[in-house]
Amino acid sequence: MQSGRISEHGFLADGSSAVLVDRAGSVNWWCPARFDAPSVFGRLLDDRAGHWSIRPEGEYTSERSYLDDTLVLRTVFTTATGAVAVTDALALEPGARGHDIGRRSPRVLARMIEGLAGEVPVLVDYQPRFEYGMVSAYLTDSGGMIDAAGGGCRLRLRADVALDCREEDRATARITVRAGQTCRFTLGYAPPYGDVQPATPDADRVIANAAAGWRSWADLHDDYQGRYRDVVRRSAMVVQGMTYGPSGAVVAAATTSLPEQLGGDRNYDYRFVWVRDFSLTLQALWLAACPDEANRQFSWVGRAMGRIGDEPVPIMYGLDGERDLTEHALDHLTGYDGSRPVLVGNDAWRQRQTDVLGEILDAAWLMRYYLDPMSPDVRHLLRALADRAVSDWRRPDAGMWEARDAERHYVSSKVQCWTALDRAVRFGSRLGDAADVARWAAARDEVRAAVLRRGWNERLGAFTGAFDSDQLDASVLLMPLVGFLPADDPRMRSTMDVVERRLSRDGLLRRWDDDPAGFVICSFWLVGCLAKAGERDRAGRVFEQLAARVNDLGLYAEQIDQATGEHLGNFPQAFSHIGLINAAGHLTAADERARRATEGDRQPVPAGTGPREGAR
């Protein structure tokens, strides 16, 4: 039995790792040590790479939802003879609440079956496979505990039902669950050596504590009063679930090698932290009323980058700030739906992407009140990045889509160099002396002139993806979002119209003509541009089309097929949820601007309702 489609998966998180469980009750992905560690359940990438399923025997239907304001998942299975519910949660540290959740994960997965009506035969099939399916563990039953060890991993499964371990690498059970009956399972992880044993606390306590922990976090982030409040709150919780608790860094996605196109080879490992996402992540956390998380994010990137030298500015890191993320293929795995290669690591870490200069300085400008007084190390970092923008804006790079064929003069990279210089000039004497500011301002004006001259294609009536090109690229929609051009500038309005006409379908926007599917965050950038241009109704319609594309649990992958609606790429994708939050913020700010224009009110937009005035 193959794993479910990408969008059929639910997402559990504990601040260190993520679990993906499909609507058939199968855990198909878990890397318990941390997000980017080897998996113990990897069925998402190969049926032989391990899973843990709990489902009714025979035919059934299933409906699922998160418990309110949590990442605790409840799936109700209905059969001809009755109904059962399976509740799944990754454990949070006992008693951890608010901003402390996820910092000290116990690394425990809890599952609980509850009989709701009648009686239902239920099948349990536990098949751990370590190190992305390369290691089959020996399973031993010792007094109600199933121990599994192999390679660099130990697991211990506690169950209050008997499991059959006659197959050395698999434990199974067939149990009849009646109304009012409960069956509990806890699965704990520990490294292979040392005194620490895998924890196996009571499943119902794990679930109750996880629900209380997530709700306590949600209660601290209840200030957002803008448009589409419910979907913003859900997306903010997903972003929090993608946060590595010990460092505060947000991973791009929970998975590796889910394809951008079925059968294609653009299958990359996204379990790392991209500086490219940094400013947008901070803005999203700010809009969703999560300033504490935004502060942790900025502290993390400053520590990870260290002192900037002559080498290309790093564009991505491991969860603790690791630099070397060398890529290699797992040739023993067939890949999702036959899509190979399956990759671990990501060689994009070697690339030059000059847009990161703008992302960091823009984030610093957003956080400027929290950076006053500015520490010497932050000041050095921001000065160094501004100086690099002076020299590097003239150079080709790999671009924000991380092209692996050749470097080009990407317009979005130039625009973000402009952003870096513009924010440095705004910082003024807090960042440099008068000569520094004059130098940054002169370079900023040079970049702007070059983009307007060489990025605009008169025949197309649009800004293109690279200098002197005739190829569209949706990344140019960032121009009004960072303040390079007003959204109602005739050239920008024309670009928006051309991009939407040629690349969009039912609200889904491809990045370029040959892009195999709609790219979710680009679609939300279009919403932001329309909102800034004053086209609130049109922007709202596109937003609602996109918001309807989430799966039944409110989750997005990176891309969505324009024809079939199938989710593609790594999942869940933080960038997509960040795009939703920021687009809702732009719509809220547009409403406020319209209201003030009507009422003659010159007061600033209230906090927690839209992007900070002056941040753009």
Side-chain angles (χ1 to χ4, degrees), residues 338-367:
S339 302
R340 303 179 72 181
V342 174
L343 300 174
V344 170
N346 194 313
D347 276 346
W349 76 273
R350 305 175 190 273
Q351 292 184 347
R352 181 190 310 278
Q353 297 177 22
T354 55
D355 64 296
V356 302
L357 308 173
E359 272 106 24
I360 298 173
L361 272 149
D362 190 40
W365 182 250
L366 180 68
M367 300 293 295

Side-chain angles (χ1 to χ4, degrees), residues 21-163:
V21 54
D22 68 20
R23 65 169 55 253
S26 180
V27 174
N28 296 324
W29 188 254
W30 190 28
C31 305
R34 64 183 220 174
F35 288 105
D36 58 348
S39 66
V40 298
F41 301 124
R43 190 186 205 175
L44 197 61
L45 298 175
D46 192 307
D47 193 46
R48 300 164 298 175
H51 71 279
W52 178 17
S53 66
I54 299 176
R55 63 174 180 84
E57 185 178 39
E59 294 185 0
Y60 61 85
T61 60
S62 65
E63 294 184 3
R64 60 193 179 158
S65 62
Y66 287 115
L67 303 188
D68 289 345
D69 284 332
T70 76
L71 290 179
V72 177
L73 181 63
R74 188 172 189 265
T75 304
V76 175
F77 296 97
T78 302
T79 74
T81 61
V84 295
V86 176
T87 303
D88 296 318
L90 276 173
L92 301 175
E93 182 185 23
R97 298 292 182 263
H99 295 126
D100 286 335
I101 66 168
R103 300 201 185 198
R104 293 167 292 275
S105 166
R107 294 174 172 82
V108 171
L109 171 60
R111 312 194 74 187
M112 186 165 66
I113 313 171
E114 300 170 85
L116 302 179
E119 59 179 44
V120 179
V122 173
L123 301 178
V124 179
D125 188 1
Y126 171 66
Q127 297 185 43
R129 298 288 185 270
F130 300 157
E131 204 163 343
Y132 304 109
M134 283 192 282
V135 178
S136 294
Y138 284 106
L139 270 58
T140 57
D141 187 347
S142 54
M145 300 285 188
I146 307 295
D147 286 316
C153 181
R154 280 186 300 167
L155 295 176
R156 176 168 291 170
L157 175 62
R158 173 186 173 188
D160 56 11
V161 298
L163 295 171

Side-chain angles (χ1 to χ4, degrees), residues 143-373:
M145 300 285 188
I146 307 295
D147 286 316
C153 181
R154 280 186 300 167
L155 295 176
R156 176 168 291 170
L157 175 62
R158 173 186 173 188
D160 56 11
V161 298
L163 295 171
D164 183 347
C165 290
R166 281 177 292 182
E167 295 183 56
E168 291 180 333
D169 61 353
R170 178 183 187 184
T172 61
R174 182 188 185 276
I175 54 179
T176 299
V177 181
R178 297 174 175 83
Q181 184 180 356
T182 301
C183 304
R184 302 169 182 84
F185 305 82
T186 48
L187 178 62
Y189 159 86
Y193 303 105
D195 297 331
V196 178
Q197 298 295 315
T200 56
D202 292 340
D204 44 4
R205 291 185 180 181
V206 168
I207 291 168
N209 183 69
W214 283 111
R215 286 170 178 150
S216 71
W217 182 89
D219 288 344
L220 292 178
H221 304 86
D222 200 35
D223 293 338
Y224 176 76
Q225 301 301 322
R227 289 180 67 174
Y228 306 108
R229 187 171 185 270
D230 289 345
V231 294
V232 167
R233 283 171 61 83
R234 171 52 54 188
S235 284
M237 183 162 285
V238 173
V239 174
Q240 178 62 21
M242 307 287 284
T243 301
Y244 182 59
S247 68
V250 177
V251 298
T255 57
T256 179
S257 301
L258 296 185
E260 296 178 14
Q261 183 175 22
L262 297 181
D265 60 0
R266 290 178 58 85
N267 317 320
Y268 301 124
D269 193 346
Y270 273 19
R271 299 170 299 162
F272 307 112
V273 186
W274 267 257
V275 177
R276 178 190 67 217
D277 305 356
F278 185 61
S279 174
L280 294 171
T281 304
L282 278 177
Q283 187 184 14
L285 293 171
W286 188 280
L287 290 171
C290 309
D292 293 275
E293 286 79 2
N295 281 329
R296 288 193 77 206
Q297 274 275 290
F298 197 87
S299 298
W300 176 86
V301 81
R303 178 175 296 182
M305 297 200 82
R307 185 170 289 272
I308 300 298
D310 295 331
E311 71 282 354
V313 174
I315 64 106
M316 61 188 295
Y317 295 92
L319 303 178
D320 285 325
E322 300 92 339
R323 184 73 182 93
D324 188 339
L325 305 176
T326 298
E327 180 178 289
H328 67 278
L330 301 177
D331 293 329
H332 66 287
L333 296 178
T334 59
Y336 175 86
D337 204 21
S339 302
R340 303 179 72 181
V342 174
L343 300 174
V344 170
N346 194 313
D347 276 346
W349 76 273
R350 305 175 190 273
Q351 292 184 347
R352 181 190 310 278
Q353 297 177 22
T354 55
D355 64 296
V356 302
L357 308 173
E359 272 106 24
I360 298 173
L361 272 149
D362 190 40
W365 182 250
L366 180 68
M367 300 293 295
R368 61 193 178 278
Y369 300 117
Y370 292 91
L371 298 177
D372 191 9

Side-chain angles (χ1 to χ4, degrees), residues 327-468:
E327 180 178 289
H328 67 278
L330 301 177
D331 293 329
H332 66 287
L333 296 178
T334 59
Y336 175 86
D337 204 21
S339 302
R340 303 179 72 181
V342 174
L343 300 174
V344 170
N346 194 313
D347 276 346
W349 76 273
R350 305 175 190 273
Q351 292 184 347
R352 181 190 310 278
Q353 297 177 22
T354 55
D355 64 296
V356 302
L357 308 173
E359 272 106 24
I360 298 173
L361 272 149
D362 190 40
W365 182 250
L366 180 68
M367 300 293 295
R368 61 193 178 278
Y369 300 117
Y370 292 91
L371 298 177
D372 191 9
M374 189 179 292
S375 65
D377 57 333
V378 170
R379 184 172 184 269
H380 171 82
L381 172 64
L382 299 180
R383 280 173 54 93
L385 295 175
D387 287 340
R388 289 297 291 270
V390 172
S391 60
D392 285 4
W393 80 264
R394 300 177 185 277
R395 304 181 65 170
D397 73 340
M400 70 182 308
W401 308 131
E402 302 177 352
R404 296 195 175 195
D405 57 345
E407 292 187 336
R408 298 175 179 85
H409 289 281
Y410 288 102
V411 169
S412 57
S413 296
K414 310 303 181 187
V415 167
Q416 289 292 40
C417 285
W418 175 92
T419 302
L421 295 163
D422 178 75
R423 305 313 188 251
V425 171
R426 294 193 198 189
F427 272 118
S429 60
R430 291 181 61 189
L431 212 58
D433 58 28
D436 292 323
V437 174
R439 179 164 46 85
W440 297 331
R444 177 194 61 185
D445 295 344
E446 285 186 80
V447 178
R448 178 180 173 83
V451 169
L452 296 179
R453 184 178 70 254
R454 299 184 60 189
W456 173 257
N457 185 300
E458 187 67 36
R459 182 182 62 82
L460 291 176
F463 288 101
T464 56
F467 277 0
D468 308 318

Side-chain angles (χ1 to χ4, degrees), residues 517-539:
F519 204 83
V520 175
I521 196 169
C522 292
S523 308
F524 281 121
W525 288 345
L526 177 61
V527 172
C529 290
L530 293 171
K532 280 182 166 290
E535 297 191 46
R536 292 184 295 141
D537 290 343
R538 183 178 165 197

